[in-house]
Amino acid sequence: MSAEDPETVKKMFEGKSAYFDSPSCGFSEKASIRIGCNTYMPACDGDEIVKHGFMYFSLSKSENNELRKIMKKYGADTRKAI
């Protein structure tokens, strides 16, 4: 990743409140982001939900669009991951 993309993603995820849920969205490690030992999987149906372990957190629409743009730049298309 470029130097600015990881910082953008970290800031996007910072301070989000995680919650337990069982959303109907699909998630895939094929389209995920790893930061250290943590794996983050955005919903594969385009929803503004990110899975982290057994927890989830929500992004704003603009954050979600930016995250998907960054991931696509590096070959991770969440809509084709399942």
Side-chain angles (χ1 to χ4, degrees):
M1 292 183 121
S2 72
E4 65 189 39
D5 289 339
E7 288 305 312
T8 300
V9 173
K10 283 182 189 179
K11 285 180 184 175
M12 203 180 293
F13 291 175
E14 201 170 80
K16 299 293 185 202
S17 295
Y19 55 89
F20 286 104
D21 198 2
S22 54
S24 60
C25 322
F27 299 90
S28 175
E29 284 194 41
K30 293 177 187 176
S32 63
I33 294 177
R34 290 205 173 113
I35 301 173
C37 296
N38 296 301
T39 301
Y40 299 90
M41 294 180 277
C44 291
D45 64 358
D47 282 354
E48 294 87 19
I49 300 171
V50 178
K51 181 179 181 182
H52 177 233
F54 295 106
M55 306 275 295
Y56 301 86
F57 61 88
S58 298
L59 300 173
S60 69
K61 285 188 185 266
S62 62
E63 289 171 328
N64 189 44
N65 290 336
E66 181 68 20
L67 177 63
R68 289 168 195 283
K69 245 194 264 185
I70 290 170
M71 292 180 70
K72 196 168 185 176
K73 187 181 348 179
Y74 298 101
D77 187 349
T78 56
R79 294 181 189 260
K80 297 179 183 176
I82 294 183

